[in-house]
Amino acid sequence: MGGADDAVVRAEESVSGGVDVWSDAVSSHAPDHLLVMVHGILGSTADWQYGANEFVKQLPDDVIVHCSEKNASMLTLDGVDVMGERLADEVLDVISRRPELTKISFLAHSVGGLAARYAIAKLYRHPNAGSDENTKGTICGLEAINFITVATPHLGSRGNKQVPLLFGSLAMEKVACRVVHWIFRRTGKHLFLTDDDEGQPPLLQRMVEDHGDLYFISALRAFKRRVVYANADCDHIVGWRTSSIRRNTELPELAVSSSEKYPHIVHEEYSEGTDDEKCQDSMTGCNLDILEEKMVTGLRRISWEKVDVSFHSSITSFAAHSIIQVKYAFMNDGADVIQHIIDHFQL
C-alpha cells in the first residue's frame, strides 16, 4: 500500500498474516482503536487498500487498520465457520502484539461480513460478574464500537432475487441451490442454506442467536453501532434484501441523492431492535421462505443503521458489488461511500 502518500501512510505485513496500516504522522500517543477490514470471496488484503489508506490519512491519531488475509483467495471457499475461526485467531494475534489497544471495530465486505460475525462470536467475552446490568460484553477484552458490513448476504443467497444475476428465475435459483457447492464448495452450501452438519439447522440460521459457546447475537449487541451498507440496485452478486436485512415489503422507495458529498447514498434509516414477542408476531401468517424469515427475525432483535447505495447512474454500475468498497483503483465511484463510512465512524 502507499504511493503518493507514503510519507503519511505506512503498511507492514504482520507476523501472523494480513497487513497493518497506520499513519507515521507525529502524535503524542499510539492509536488505541483497531479497525479490522475483511475482504469478500476470492479476495485479498488489496481489496481494502483504498479504504485502509483513507482511514489512516483522515484519522491518523485514532485508528490502526488491520487488513485480514487469513482467508485469502480460495480459502474463502472453505465455509463461513472455518473462515470465522481463522479470522478470530488472526485478530487475537494482532491484539496480543499491541497492548495499547482498548477498542475494536470491523469493516467487512460481502461474505467477509459473515466471517466477521462468526469471528466475533468466538471472541466475545461476557461482562465481569457483578457488573451493572447495562454493562456490555467485550470483544476479547476490547470495547466494541463499530460493526459495519458492505454488500454482505446476511440472509444468505437462497431466496428469490437474492442473487440478481439469476434474474429472479425460480427455476434457475433452484438449480443454483443444487450445484453451487461445485463452484463455491462449503461456503456455497452455507450461502444457499443447504448445509446440514450433523443434522443441525443451516449455519446462517444458527448465527442469529447465541448457539452453544458461540455468542452470535450477544457479540453483535456488544457493539455501540451496527451498520449495513447495501446496494439497492446494480449488484448482480448480492441482492438488496439480504444485504440490508429487510423483508420485501420493507424495501424503501428510493429518491435520487441530492448530496454533493455522498452522491451514491440514496437512503438512510435507523432500525430499532424488536423484542422477542413482536418478532414472533411478525412470523404469523408470513408467506416468505421460513428460513429467511427466521433470520430476519433473529437479526432484528438488535438495532441497525441501514444505508442504501445506488450506482445506477455510474458508467461502472455493472461492477457495483466491487465499487461500493473501491476494490479497484481505476473504478473509484464508491469513494463517497468510503467517505460516508469514515465520517460516521464512532471513535
Side-chain angles (χ1 to χ4, degrees):
M1 300 190 185
D5 296 299
D6 278 348
V8 175
V9 177
R10 289 286 179 245
E12 180 180 275
E13 289 192 15
S14 65
V15 176
S16 63
V19 175
D20 292 337
V21 186
W22 71 97
S23 171
D24 67 356
V26 177
S27 175
S28 60
H29 67 278
D32 64 352
H33 193 155
L34 173 64
L35 171 57
V36 181
M37 290 187 170
V38 190
H39 61 73
I41 204 160
L42 301 176
S44 72
T45 57
D47 294 359
W48 276 116
Q49 177 173 338
Y50 178 85
N53 285 352
E54 288 301 309
F55 257 95
V56 297
K57 282 193 293 185
Q58 297 186 41
L59 303 172
D61 297 332
D62 301 303
V63 299
I64 179 168
V65 175
H66 177 79
C67 295
S68 171
E69 77 163 2
K70 281 297 186 180
N71 292 300
S73 190
M74 298 294 287
L75 294 177
T76 56
L77 307 183
D78 291 342
V80 170
D81 51 353
V82 174
M83 291 170 63
E85 295 271 3
R86 291 188 191 123
L87 178 59
D89 289 342
E90 185 175 0
V91 171
L92 281 171
D93 181 78
V94 174
I95 293 172
S96 70
R97 291 186 289 102
R98 295 187 174 275
E100 71 275 15
L101 294 174
T102 62
K103 295 177 280 191
I104 189 169
S105 293
F106 285 79
L107 174 55
H109 177 247
S110 195
V111 174
L114 299 178
R117 280 175 50 198
Y118 195 98
I120 63 172
K122 291 283 295 182
L123 298 171
Y124 178 74
R125 303 291 181 266
H126 292 286
N128 293 328
S131 297
D132 181 90
E133 62 179 14
N134 295 320
T135 301
K136 292 185 176 182
T138 66
I139 300 301
C140 201
L142 302 184
E143 184 181 8
I145 310 296
N146 309 272
F147 188 86
I148 307 166
T149 65
V150 180
T152 289
H154 287 286
L155 310 179
S157 304
R158 162 177 162 162
N160 185 231
K161 298 182 181 180
Q162 296 290 46
V163 181
L165 185 64
L166 301 178
F167 306 107
S169 165
L170 293 176
M172 292 179 68
E173 289 169 351
K174 287 180 180 179
V175 171
C177 281
R178 297 192 188 100
V179 304
V180 67
H181 64 281
W182 296 350
I183 304 171
F184 295 112
R185 303 195 318 220
R186 196 158 174 268
T187 299
K189 286 187 174 183
H190 287 153
L191 289 174
F192 279 82
L193 313 177
T194 58
D195 57 301
D196 60 349
D197 296 340
E198 300 177 354
Q200 297 188 82
L203 177 62
L204 295 193
Q205 181 185 335
R206 282 178 271 152
M207 284 174 60
V208 302
E209 59 187 2
D210 292 346
H211 192 88
D213 60 352
L214 292 167
Y215 300 97
F216 294 113
I217 289 298
S218 292
L220 281 172
R221 187 177 284 118
F223 286 83
K224 287 191 174 180
R225 59 192 293 260
R226 292 155 296 279
V227 193
V228 291
Y229 284 78
N231 277 317
D233 51 28
C234 303
D235 190 327
H236 303 298
I237 310 300
V238 175
W240 186 15
R241 199 168 77 243
T242 186
S243 56
S244 64
I245 315 178
R246 292 186 179 108
R247 302 173 179 89
N248 257 334
T249 56
E250 297 168 336
L251 295 173
E253 292 289 332
L254 298 180
V256 176
S257 175
S258 59
S259 170
E260 290 186 12
K261 189 174 186 180
Y262 312 121
H264 299 108
I265 304 294
V266 293
H267 183 82
E268 297 180 64
E269 69 179 61
Y270 178 77
S271 174
E272 289 279 4
T274 311
D275 63 43
D276 289 354
E277 184 177 350
K278 290 181 181 177
C279 285
Q280 281 299 122
D281 290 344
S282 72
M283 290 183 62
T284 305
C286 183
N287 295 320
L288 297 177
D289 182 286
I290 190 64
L291 290 182
E292 182 175 316
E293 179 62 23
K294 285 181 178 179
M295 289 184 287
V296 172
T297 296
L299 290 172
R300 294 277 284 274
R301 290 191 174 101
I302 50 180
S303 62
W304 294 88
E305 296 171 41
K306 300 183 179 183
V307 184
D308 298 305
V309 179
S310 175
F311 294 104
H312 181 74
S313 60
S314 170
I315 60 173
T316 55
S317 61
F318 64 90
H321 190 66
S322 295
I323 63 176
I324 193 173
Q325 69 161 157
V326 193
K327 183 175 181 178
Y328 306 109
F330 62 91
M331 291 194 297
N332 64 353
D333 284 6
D336 64 311
V337 178
I338 300 299
Q339 191 60 53
H340 190 277
I341 294 173
I342 296 172
D343 288 346
H344 293 80
F345 192 81
Q346 189 166 334
L347 295 172

